[in-house]
Amino acid sequence: MYRHHALLLIDIQNDFCPGDALAVPGGDRVVDVANHYIAQWKRQGGRVIASQDWHPANHGSFAVNAGAPVGDSGQLNGIEQVWWPVHCVQNSPGAAFHPSLTSQYIDLIIHKGMDPAYDSYSAFRDNGHQHDTGLDSWLRQHQITTLTIMGLATDYCVRFSVIDALSAGYQVNVITAGCRGVNLKPDDSVLALSEMQQKGAQII
Ligand code: VGL
Ligand code: ZN
C-alpha cells in the first residue's frame, strides 16, 4: 500500500516534447515510463499528482516579452532568468498533457507559472517565493510523507521540485528513466541529478 507515498509527475506536456515549443530532447520518451508508474500506483492505492506549467501569454519568462534572444539569461524581478520561447500558454494545445499519458488516473493537478512577474519551476512555489501552489498542504492533509518524482525537465522543474520537497521534509525518490533535461549546457542534467542526490534524494 502506497498510502503515504505519492507519485509526482512534472510537466509532461506537449510543449516540452519533440516538435513543440520548448522541446526537451527525448521528452516524449518519459510518457511510457510515467504510465508504468501510474498503473503501479493505482494498483497499490497510491495518489498520483501531476503539475502543469500554465503561463499567461504575457508571461515574463518568454523571450518575446523580455525583448531578448531565446536561451539567453537576464533578470526577472531581480531573479536570474533564462528567456524561454513561448510555451505552455494556459488552455493551449501545447499546455495539455501528452496525449498518451494516462491522465485519467491523476488525482491532483497543480498549475504553476500563472503570475507573469515570476517564473515557477517548482511544483511547490514560484521562483520568487511569492505564491504557494497548495501542493504541500494537500500532501500534509493526505498524510503523504514520501514522493517519487519524474518528468520534465530534469535541470529546471524536476530539480526545483525535488529540492523544495526535500527542504519541506519529504523523502524523495527520483526516477531518472522518467526524466529528460533541456541541457542548455551539455551536463546540466547530470549536475542537477547529483545536486538532488547530495541534498538527500534517492536516485533510481
Ligand atoms: C520548464 C523551462 C520553462 C520545465 C518550464 O518544466 O522544466 N522549463 N518552463
Ligand atoms: Zn515555463
Side-chain angles (χ1 to χ4, degrees), residues 17-28:
C17 292
D20 269 300
L22 209 173
V24 175
D28 55 338

Side-chain angles (χ1 to χ4, degrees), residues 31-58:
V31 177
D32 285 350
V33 180
N35 288 341
H36 168 85
Y37 283 98
I38 290 168
Q40 181 176 323
W41 248 257
K42 291 289 104 178
R43 277 197 306 274
Q44 298 288 335
R47 298 299 204 313
V48 176
I49 304 160
S51 65
Q52 282 182 309
D53 213 27
W54 202 250
H55 297 308
N58 67 341

Side-chain angles (χ1 to χ4, degrees), residues 44-190:
Q44 298 288 335
R47 298 299 204 313
V48 176
I49 304 160
S51 65
Q52 282 182 309
D53 213 27
W54 202 250
H55 297 308
N58 67 341
H59 197 262
S61 74
F62 297 167
V64 65
N65 296 330
V70 168
D72 276 16
S73 297
Q75 294 231 324
L76 181 60
N77 250 298
I79 300 162
E80 166 94 4
Q81 178 69 50
V82 177
W83 307 121
W84 301 110
V86 173
H87 65 279
C88 296
V89 173
Q90 295 168 7
N91 299 302
S92 70
F97 289 121
H98 188 285
S100 301
L101 186 70
T102 51
S103 54
Q104 66 270 29
Y105 300 120
I106 295 167
D107 298 298
L108 174 70
I109 295 176
I110 296 288
H111 286 149
K112 60 185 182 63
M114 288 85 86
D115 183 343
Y118 294 95
D119 212 347
S120 188
Y121 294 147
S122 165
F124 288 89
R125 56 179 181 174
D126 66 274
N127 298 3
H129 305 171
Q130 301 292 308
H131 311 284
D132 184 307
T133 62
L135 176 56
D136 184 58
S137 72
W138 191 92
L139 293 170
R140 284 173 197 283
Q141 258 167 45
H142 292 85
Q143 298 177 295
I144 289 161
T145 51
T146 305
L147 292 171
T148 288
I149 303 180
M150 56 159 284
L152 307 171
T154 317
D155 37 357
Y156 292 93
C157 292
V158 173
R159 174 180 172 226
F160 276 64
S161 298
V162 166
I163 288 168
D164 278 351
L166 289 167
S167 52
Y170 297 95
Q171 251 181 273
V172 178
N173 306 312
V174 180
I175 302 168
T176 53
C179 294
R180 292 292 186 283
V182 177
N183 292 330
L184 287 179
K185 292 196 210 96
D187 53 358
D188 280 353
S189 291
V190 171

